[in-house]
C-alpha cells in the first residue's frame, strides 16, 4: 500500500530524482528509469574499449553489415525475384527487344532507371566484399593473439558461423540477378550438390525443382533466404556476439597498466562512441564512394543467363575464389564404387575440403587447449611471436587459402605471362602445398628469434639532464604532458562526474 | 588525483579538472578544433553537392564522390573529436572472473539434478516413449520441409531428349543442313522441340572436309566430317563452348578442361574426368543433319546413380 502511494507520488512529481527544474535530458532519463530501471545498468556507459587499432576490424565488419542491410532493403523495393522471361524495353540499347529474365531486367532497371540505384546496387556489392574481408581479417586477429582461448571459445564459434553465413549469403546475393556469370555459378553449385554420394541427385532436384536449371523455384527461394532468413540469423548471432563481448569484456595487450584483472582504454561514453560513430561514417562513406566510382559486377556486359552460353574468364566473388581454385587444380579422379560413380574431382575440393576447413575452424580452440594442456582463463592477448607454433600454423593456413585463391585465375595468368596453361596448373599443384609449408617453417623460425629479444612495452619518457653547481649531473624526468602517450600515466577508473565548471 | 564520494547506492567519482587523464590528447586543442571545424564544413559542402547532383540527375561517379567524401570527412571529424579533444585517459575498469563461487555452483547443480530426478524417477518408460514420439515427429516434420521442394530425380538424369532421327536445330530454331557450316565452324544445337534445354545442348563441329573416326565402333557417326558432342562439361556442367580448329580442341572456360574432338573428346587437361558423350549423326536424303540415336550414356557431371 505504501509502495503504491510512493509510486503515485513519483508520477505526480515526475520521480524524486527529477524535480521540475531538472534539465530535459534528466527528466527523460528519469521517465525511462521509473519504467525500466535503466539507471541500474548505467555502468555500461563506462565500459572500456581497448585503444589498439586491431580492435577496429570487427567494427568494420559490423558497419559494412549495417550498410548491407540498408542498401539491401533499398534493392528489395525494385528487385523482382523471377526467372520468367520478359522482353527488355529499358534504356540499355544492346539488349532492347531481347528476352531476359525478370530478375535480370529488374537489376538493369535498378542500374539504369532508378536514380542513385546504380550507386546503391554497387555499394551493396562492395559492402558484401568488404564485409567478408573484414570478418576474415578480424578472425586472423583473434587467432594470432589467442583471443579465442578460454573463456571466449563460444564467441569464436559464433564468429566462425558468422563467417560461413556471410559467405553463403554473399553467394546467394551474387546469384540473384541471374546474369550469365552468376547463372554459371549456380550451374556449378548444382553440380557440386549433385556430386554428393547417395543423396546428391535428390538434394539437387529438391533445391532446383528438377534437373538444372529447374522449374524456377530456386530464384524466389534464394531471394527469401538472402533478404530475410539469413540476415535475421546473422543479426541474431551478431547480438549474441556483442552480448558475450560485453559480458566477458575485451582482451587486451599487456603493458600500459593492462593486467588480467582490468581493461584499459577509452570509456564507451563519450570517447569510444565518438570514435566509433566516426568509423561508421568513414566505412559508409568509403563504400558509398566505391559504389559510385568503381564499377563492380556490370551484369549488362555479361548478358542474361542462357544455359548454353558462356563467357570467358568466369570468376566468382573473391571469397569464393579459394573453392574455385581448389576445383581447378584438383586432378580428375573420378572413382567408381560397386557400380556407382563418386566424382572425387568435385567432392574432395568442393565438399570435403570446405567441410574440413570449417570443422577445423570450429575445433581450433579445443585442439589448441588439448595440445598445450592450458585450461586457464586468459584476458591478456598473446603477442604472435610468443606463440611460434600457433603463429606458424596460422601463417601456413593464410598462405594455403591465398594460394588457392590465386589458383582461381590460372587462365588469366597463363594469358598474362604467355605460358602454357599446363605449366601454370602444375606450378599451382606444387606451390599450393610447398608455399604454406615454407611459410609455416619460416614463420616459426622468425617468431623464435623475435621472442628471444626482450621488449619493454613501456615507452620511455623524455628526461632533462642538469649540471649541478658542483659539476655533477642529475637526471630529472619531465612532467607528464598531454600527448606523452597514455603509457605514461597509470589508468584510473572512469570518473562519473568530470566537474567542468 | 580523484576524490571518491561514497553515497548510499552508487559510487560517484568526481574527476579533478587538473587530472592529466581528463586533458585532451591533443597538444594544441585549439588548433585541432579548427581542423575538425574545417572537416565538418567540407563534409556539409559534400552533402550539398550530392543533393545538387541528385537533383540534376548527375552521374554515379559524381554522386559517389560527393556523398562519399562528405561522409568520410564527417567521420574523420567525429573520430578526431573523440580521439584528440575528449579526455585521453587511460581509463580502466575491473574485470571479474566468469566463474561463480563454489556455493553458487553447488546450488545450481543440486537444483538441476535433483529436480531432474524428480521428473524421471520411476518413469523411465515414459521417458522412452517421449523420445520415440519425438523422433517420429522429427522425421515427419522433415517431409514438408525437404520433400515438398522438388520432384524426385528418378531416371531423368540418365537420358536427354535426343531420339533416333531428331533434327538438329540452332538456338534460333532453324534446322541445320550439311551445307550450312563451313569446315572449322561450330554451332550449338538442340533436338527439335527442345531449343535452349540445358541438358540437351550439343556442339556440332564441322571438324574436317572428310569423314573421320573418333573411336573404333563410331565409324559412321561423323558424316562429311561433322562431329557432335554434348556441350555439358563432364566436370561441373558449364557449356564447353570454345573451339580451336587448329588444335581440334574444345575448351571449358570454367576450370579449363580441354577435350580433343578427334579422339572422342577425351579430356587432355584439367579436372574433367570423362570424355564428352558423342552424338551419332547422319545426313538425311534432304541434306539435313539428324541424330542416329540419343547419347549412349548420361551427359554432364558425375553423380552417384550414374553407372
Ligand atoms: C550478409 C549480408 C549480405 C551479403 C553478403 C549480400 C551480398 C549481395 C551480393 C553480392 C549481391 C549481388 C549484387 C549485384 O547485383 O552486384 C546481392 C544482391 C541483392 N541483395 Fe544482398 N547481401 C546481404 C544482405 C542483404 C539484405 C539484408 C538484403 C535485404 C533486406 C539484401 C537484398 C539484396 C537484393 C534485393 C539483391 C538483388 C538485387 C541486385 O542484385 O542488384 N541483401 N547481395
Ligand atoms: S565445368 Fe568444365 S572444367 Fe569445370
Amino acid at each position: 500500500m505504501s509502495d503504491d502511494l510512493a509510486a503515485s507520488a513519483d508520477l505526480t512529481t515526475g520521480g524524486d530524482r527529477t524535480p521540475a527544474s531538472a534539465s530535459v535530458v534528466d527528466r527523460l532519463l528519469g521517465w525511462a528509469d521509473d519504467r525500466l530501471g535503466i539507471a541500474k545498468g548505467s555502468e555500461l556507459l563506462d565500459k572500456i574499449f581497448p585503444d589498439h587499432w586491431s580492435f577496429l576490424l570487427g567494427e568494420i565488419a559490423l558497419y559494412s553489415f549495417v550498410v548491407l542491410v540498408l542498401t539491401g532493403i533499398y534493392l528489395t523495393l525494385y528487385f523482382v525475384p523471377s526467372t520468367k522471361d520478359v522482353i527488355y524495353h529499358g534504356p540499355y540499347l544492346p539488349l532492347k527487344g531481347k528476352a531476359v529474365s525478370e530478375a535480370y531486367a529488374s537489376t538493369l532497371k535498378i542500374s539504369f532507371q532508378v536514380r542513385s540505384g546504380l550507386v546503391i546496387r554497387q555499394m551493396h556489392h562492395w559492402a558484401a566484399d568488404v564485409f567478408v574481408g573484414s570478418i576474415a581479417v578480424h578472425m586472423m586477429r583473434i587467432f594470432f593473439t589467442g583471443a579465442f582461448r578460454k573463456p571466449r571459445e563460444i564467441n569464436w564459434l559464433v564468429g566462425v558461423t558468422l563467417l560461413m553465413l556471410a559467405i553463403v549469403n554473399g553467394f546467394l546475393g551474387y546469384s540473384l540477378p541471374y546474369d550469365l556469370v552468376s547463372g554459371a555459378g549456380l550451374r556449378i553449385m548444382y553440380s557440386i550438390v549433385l556430386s554428393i554420394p547417395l543423396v546428391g541427385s535428390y538434394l539437387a532436384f529438391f533445391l532446383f525443382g528438377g534437373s538444372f536449371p529447374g522449374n524456377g523455384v530456386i530464384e524466389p527461394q534464394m531471394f527469401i533466404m538472402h533478404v530475410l532468413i539469413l540476415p535475421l540469423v546473422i543479426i541474431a548471432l551478431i547480438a549474441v556476439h556483442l552480448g558475450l563481448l560485453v559480458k566477458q569484456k575485451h582482451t587486451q595487450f599487456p603493458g600500459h597498466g593492462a593486467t588480467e584483472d582490468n581493461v584499459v582504454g577509452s570509456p564507451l561514453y563519450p570517447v569510444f562512441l565518438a570514435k566509433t560513430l566516426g568509423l561508421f561514417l568513414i566505412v559508409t562513406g568509403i563504400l558509398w564512394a566505391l559504389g559510385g566510382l568503381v564499377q563492380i559486377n556490370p551484369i549488362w556486359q555479361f548478358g542474361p543467363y542462357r544455359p548454353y552460353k558462356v563467357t570467358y574468364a568466369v570468376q566468382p566473388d573473391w571469397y569464393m575464389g579459394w573453392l574455385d581454385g581448389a576445383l581447378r587444380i584438383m586432378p580428375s579422379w573420378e572413382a567408381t564404387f560397386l557400380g556407382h560413380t563418386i566424382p572425387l574431382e568435385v567432392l574432395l575440393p568442393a565438399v570435403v575440403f570446405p567441410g574440413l576447413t570449417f570443422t577445423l575452424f570450429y575445433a581450433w580452440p579445443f585442439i589448441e587447449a588439448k595440445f598445450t594442456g592450458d585450461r586457464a582463463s586468459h584476458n591478456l592477448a598473446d603477442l604472435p611471436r610468443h606463440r611460434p607454433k600457433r603463429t606458424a600454423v596460422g601463417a601456413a593456413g593464410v598462405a594455403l587459402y591465398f594460394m588457392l585463391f590465386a589458383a582461381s585465375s590460372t587462365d588469366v595468368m597463363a594469358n598474362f605471362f604467355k605460358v602454357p596453361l599446363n605449366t601454370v596448373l602444375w606450378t599451382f599443384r606444387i606451390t599450393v602445398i610447398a608455399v604454406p609449408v615454407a611459410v609455416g617453417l619460416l614463420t616459426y623460425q622468425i617468431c623464435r628469434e623475435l621472442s628471444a629479444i626482450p621488449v619493454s612495452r613501456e615507452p620511455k619518457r623524455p628526461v632533462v639532464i642538469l649540471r649541478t653547481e658542483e659539476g655533477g649531473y642529475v637526471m630529472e624526468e619531465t612532467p607528464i604532458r598531454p600527448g606523452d602517450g597514455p603509457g605514461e600515466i597509470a589508468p584510473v577508473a572512469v570518473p562519473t562526474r568530470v566537474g567542468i565548471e | 588525483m580523484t576524490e571518491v564520494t561514497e553515497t548510499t547506492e552508487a559510487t560517484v567519482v568526481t574527476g579533478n579538472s587538473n587530472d592529466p587523464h581528463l586533458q585532451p590528447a591533443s597538444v594544441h586543442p585549439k588548433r585541432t578544433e579548427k581542423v575538425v571545424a574545417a572537416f565538418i564544413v567540407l563534409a556539409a559542402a559534400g552533402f550539398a553537392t550530392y543533393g545538387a547532383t541528385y537533383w540534376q540527375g548527375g552521374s554515379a561517379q559524381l554522386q559517389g564522390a560527393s556523398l562519399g567524401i562528405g561522409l568520410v570527412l564527417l567521420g574523420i571529424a567525429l573520430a578526431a573529436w573523440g580521439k584528440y579533444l575528449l579526455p585521453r585517459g587511460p581509463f580502466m575498469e575491473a574485470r571479474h572472473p566468469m566463474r561463480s563461487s563454489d556455493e553458487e555452483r553447488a546450488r545450481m547443480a543440486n537444483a538441476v539434478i535433483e529436480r531432474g530426478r524428480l521428473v524421471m524417477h520411476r518413469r523411465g518408460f515414459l521417458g522412452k516413449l517421449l523420445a520415440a514420439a519425438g523422433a517420429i515427429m522429427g522425421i515427419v516434420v522433415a517431409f514438408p520441409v525437404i520433400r515438398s521442394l522438388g520432384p524426385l530425380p528418378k531416371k531423368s538424369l540418365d537420358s536427354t531428349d535426343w531420339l533416333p532421327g531428331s533434327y538438329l536445330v540452332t538456338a534460333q530454331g532453324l534446322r541445320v543442313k550439311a551445307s550450312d557450316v563451313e569446315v572449322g565452324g561450330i554451332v550449338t544445337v538442340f533436338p527439335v522441340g527442345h531449343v535452349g534445354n540445358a541438358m540437351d545442348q550439343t556442339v556440332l563441329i564441322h571438324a574436317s572436309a572428310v569423314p573421320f573416326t573418333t573411336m573404333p565402333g563410331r565409324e559412321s557417326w561423323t558424316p562429311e566430317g561433322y562431329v557432335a558432342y554434348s556441350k555439358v562439361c563432364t566436370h561441373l556442367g558449364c557449356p564447353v563452348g570454345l573451339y580451336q580448329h587448329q588444335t581440334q580442341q574444345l575448351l571449358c572456360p570454367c576450370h579449363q578442361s580441354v577435350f580433343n574432338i578427334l579422339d572422342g573428346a577425351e579430356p587432355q587437361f584439367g579436372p574433367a574426368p570423362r570424355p564428352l558423350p558423342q552424338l551419332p549423326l547422319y545426313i538425311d536424303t534432304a541434306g539435313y543433319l539428324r541424330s542416329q540415336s540419343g547419347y549412349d550414356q548420361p551427359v554432364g557431371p558425375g553423380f552417384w546413380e550414374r553407372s
Side-chain angles (χ1 to χ4, degrees):
Chain A
M1 183 62 206
S2 60
D3 279 359
D4 279 354
L5 269 181
S8 60
D10 265 7
L11 270 180
T12 46
T13 62
D16 53 356
R17 283 202 67 273
T18 49
S21 61
S23 74
V24 181
V25 178
D26 201 0
R27 296 235 300 273
L28 277 176
L29 289 174
W31 189 93
D33 185 59
D34 285 344
R35 286 154 187 84
L36 302 168
I38 54 166
K40 292 186 192 71
S42 64
E43 314 93 72
L44 190 64
L45 297 176
D46 304 349
K47 179 178 166 48
I48 297 292
F49 289 79
D51 288 321
H52 197 265
W53 62 267
S54 66
F55 289 76
L56 292 184
L57 297 166
E59 289 170 49
I60 296 177
L62 181 64
Y63 298 144
S64 21
F65 181 67
V66 173
V67 169
L68 277 169
V69 172
L70 296 180
T71 51
I73 291 173
Y74 189 90
L75 293 175
T76 57
L77 302 180
Y78 304 98
F79 182 73
V80 185
S82 153
T83 52
K84 207 170 88 84
D85 271 346
V86 291
I87 300 298
Y88 180 70
H89 288 302
Y92 185 66
L93 294 179
L95 286 170
K96 214 171 181 100
K98 299 238 165 79
V100 302
S101 66
E102 281 185 298
Y104 185 80
S106 63
T107 312
L108 288 182
K109 182 175 162 198
I110 293 173
S111 308
F112 296 128
Q113 278 155 288
V114 178
R115 266 201 207 181
S116 288
L118 179 61
V119 189
I120 289 184
R121 189 183 141 246
Q122 296 192 136
M123 187 186 190
H124 190 74
H125 204 129
W126 275 115
D129 285 349
V130 171
F131 181 50
V132 186
S134 51
I135 294 180
V137 185
H138 169 63
M139 187 173 153
M140 289 183 210
R141 191 292 270 171
I142 305 295
F143 180 87
F144 286 112
T145 64
F148 55 81
R149 290 174 299 172
K150 188 179 169 189
R152 296 184 180 75
E153 305 96 324
I154 307 174
N155 232 6
W156 169 268
L157 300 181
V158 173
V160 173
T161 313
L162 279 169
L163 172 65
M164 199 161 64
L165 293 177
I167 293 178
V168 171
N169 215 35
F171 178 78
L172 290 177
Y174 179 82
S175 303
L176 284 179
Y178 217 59
D179 55 277
L180 195 49
V181 175
S182 72
L186 273 181
R187 176 52 163 127
I188 290 171
M189 194 49 71
Y190 168 90
S191 309
I192 290 173
V193 175
L194 194 68
S195 79
I196 299 172
L198 236 52
V199 293
S201 55
Y202 292 87
L203 282 184
F205 268 59
F206 292 168
L207 283 180
F208 285 77
S211 176
F212 187 84
N215 58 12
V217 295
I218 185 94
E219 179 77 14
Q221 282 168 4
M222 286 195 310
F223 180 70
I224 214 67
M225 280 302 241
H226 180 78
V227 305
L228 183 70
I229 299 175
L230 287 186
L232 282 184
V233 176
I234 291 176
I235 288 169
L237 286 177
I238 291 179
V240 173
H241 203 66
L242 299 183
L244 284 175
L245 178 76
V246 170
K247 182 147 175 81
Q248 301 180 325
K249 302 197 163 82
H250 286 78
T251 57
Q252 60 188 348
F253 286 107
H256 303 322
T259 69
E260 280 285 351
D261 307 314
N262 67 7
V263 198
V264 175
S266 311
L268 171 60
Y269 183 79
V271 181
F272 178 76
L273 201 66
K275 289 200 279 191
T276 202
L277 274 180
L279 181 69
F280 172 57
L281 291 179
I282 293 171
V283 169
T284 314
I286 290 176
L287 290 175
W288 178 275
L290 282 170
L293 295 172
V294 189
Q295 187 180 68
I296 189 163
N297 204 18
I299 56 153
W300 51 92
Q301 291 174 12
F302 309 148
Y305 183 61
R306 290 285 169 258
Y308 54 90
K309 283 203 178 146
V310 74
T311 59
Y312 200 60
V314 181
Q315 258 159 345
D317 261 6
W318 75 266
Y319 44 84
M320 299 296 282
W322 57 292
L323 288 174
D324 195 45
L327 278 169
R328 284 181 188 216
I329 61 173
M330 180 72 195
S332 51
W333 290 342
E334 191 171 77
T336 46
F337 172 75
L338 301 179
H340 289 287
T341 303
I342 306 178
L344 291 179
E345 81 285 357
V346 176
L347 203 58
L348 290 183
V351 181
V352 175
F353 175 62
L356 278 180
T357 294
F358 278 97
T359 310
L360 189 67
F361 285 180
Y362 276 122
W364 181 265
F366 312 103
I367 297 177
E368 187 182 295
K370 184 132 194 109
F371 269 94
T372 57
D374 178 358
R375 311 259 166 219
S377 287
H378 296 275
N379 294 318
L380 286 183
D382 286 328
L383 284 181
R385 70 181 75 150
H386 291 151
R387 301 275 175 231
K389 284 187 196 144
R390 180 204 294 144
T391 307
V393 171
V398 174
L400 172 69
Y401 293 104
F402 181 79
M403 289 309 295
L404 286 172
F405 170 73
S408 70
S409 13
T410 40
D411 52 337
V412 179
M413 290 185 197
N415 278 342
F416 187 79
F417 296 110
K418 304 261 179 294
V419 280
L421 206 48
N422 207 3
T423 320
V424 180
L425 184 78
W426 274 101
T427 314
F428 270 108
R429 283 184 181 163
I430 295 164
T431 50
V432 114
I433 310 225
V435 169
V437 170
V439 166
L441 292 176
L442 198 69
T443 309
Y444 182 74
Q445 198 54 35
I446 293 176
C447 288
R448 290 284 300 270
E449 286 176 16
L450 276 181
S451 62
I453 309 168
V455 269
S456 153
R457 306 271 309 158
E458 300 295 339
K460 296 197 182 75
R461 197 188 310 161
V463 291
V464 179
I465 298 178
L466 295 170
R467 203 168 75 156
T468 58
E469 279 168 19
E470 295 78 41
Y473 290 92
V474 286
M475 192 168 76
E476 258 179 27
E477 291 213 332
T478 51
I480 303 166
R481 288 181 320 119
D484 275 355
E488 292 300 304
I489 1 174
V492 295
V494 184
T496 325
R497 309 187 52 219
V498 286
I500 19 168
E501 245 66 60
Chain B
M1 210 188 296
T2 48
E3 114 202 16
V4 178
T5 333
E6 284 287 337
T7 65
T8 37
E9 280 152 359
T11 317
V12 174
V13 188
T14 307
N16 172 333
S17 48
N18 293 324
D19 182 344
H21 294 90
L22 296 184
Q23 307 309 314
S26 168
V27 189
H28 305 291
K30 283 268 169 282
R31 249 187 259 168
T32 313
E33 237 177 270
K34 278 185 198 145
V35 176
V36 169
F39 273 53
I40 295 179
V41 171
L42 288 175
F47 298 153
T49 313
Y50 170 71
T53 313
Y54 183 92
W55 190 253
Q56 298 292 318
S59 70
Q61 282 81 353
L62 212 57
Q63 293 182 22
S66 54
L67 187 54
I69 292 175
L71 287 166
V72 170
L73 290 179
L74 195 66
I76 295 177
L78 254 183
W81 193 332
K83 193 165 163 59
Y84 299 113
L85 296 177
L86 290 178
R88 67 183 172 130
F91 297 106
M92 62 158 195
E93 64 178 336
R95 219 191 260 282
H96 309 288
M98 286 292 120
R99 190 187 194 285
S100 314
S101 71
D102 286 344
E103 296 77 57
E104 286 162 327
R105 281 165 74 122
R107 195 186 165 281
M108 173 177 73
N110 285 339
V112 172
I113 296 166
E114 298 291 311
R115 288 180 213 162
R117 278 213 193 107
L118 211 62
V119 177
M120 294 305 284
H121 185 59
R122 300 215 195 121
R123 297 200 183 94
F125 180 61
L126 275 188
K128 279 177 199 146
L129 281 183
L130 189 67
I136 298 175
M137 183 181 80
I139 293 169
V140 297
V141 162
F143 290 170
V145 176
I146 297 173
R147 176 60 191 90
S148 299
L149 282 174
L152 294 176
K154 302 228 173 72
K155 296 270 169 226
S156 62
L157 287 172
D158 293 343
S159 55
T160 62
D161 298 309
W162 288 101
L163 300 171
S166 293
Y167 286 97
L168 276 57
V169 299
T170 64
Q172 289 73 39
L174 305 172
R175 290 182 187 185
V176 183
K177 269 186 151 170
S179 51
D180 286 349
V181 186
E182 286 171 20
V183 173
I186 176 173
V187 203
T188 300
V189 293
F190 304 88
V192 62
H194 299 277
V195 169
N197 186 292
M199 294 304 278
D200 299 335
Q201 56 178 305
T202 295
V203 282
L204 173 71
I205 302 169
H206 201 173
S208 90
V210 288
F212 62 99
T213 306
T214 57
M215 275 168 82
R218 297 186 180 177
E219 285 79 4
S220 69
W221 291 17
T222 47
E224 293 186 14
Y226 274 99
V227 63
Y229 290 108
S230 162
K231 198 179 175 181
V232 190
C233 185
T234 55
H235 180 224
L236 287 167
C238 282
V240 187
L242 305 172
Y243 168 57
Q244 280 190 314
H245 181 54
Q246 283 142 336
T247 50
Q248 296 290 21
Q249 284 171 330
L250 270 174
L251 174 82
C252 177
C254 284
H255 313 95
Q256 283 73 50
S257 286
V258 175
F259 304 89
N260 182 345
I261 64 160
L262 295 184
D263 70 352
E266 190 63 39
Q268 292 180 306
F269 179 84
R274 269 174 284 109
L276 301 167
Q278 186 181 348
L279 188 72
L281 299 176
Y282 72 96
I283 297 171
D284 70 11
T285 45
Y288 286 107
L289 278 158
R290 295 166 74 173
S291 58
Q292 296 182 26
S293 68
Y295 287 105
D296 60 357
Q297 53 181 297
V299 300
F303 53 99
W304 176 253
E305 292 87 354
R306 185 181 204 283
S307 46

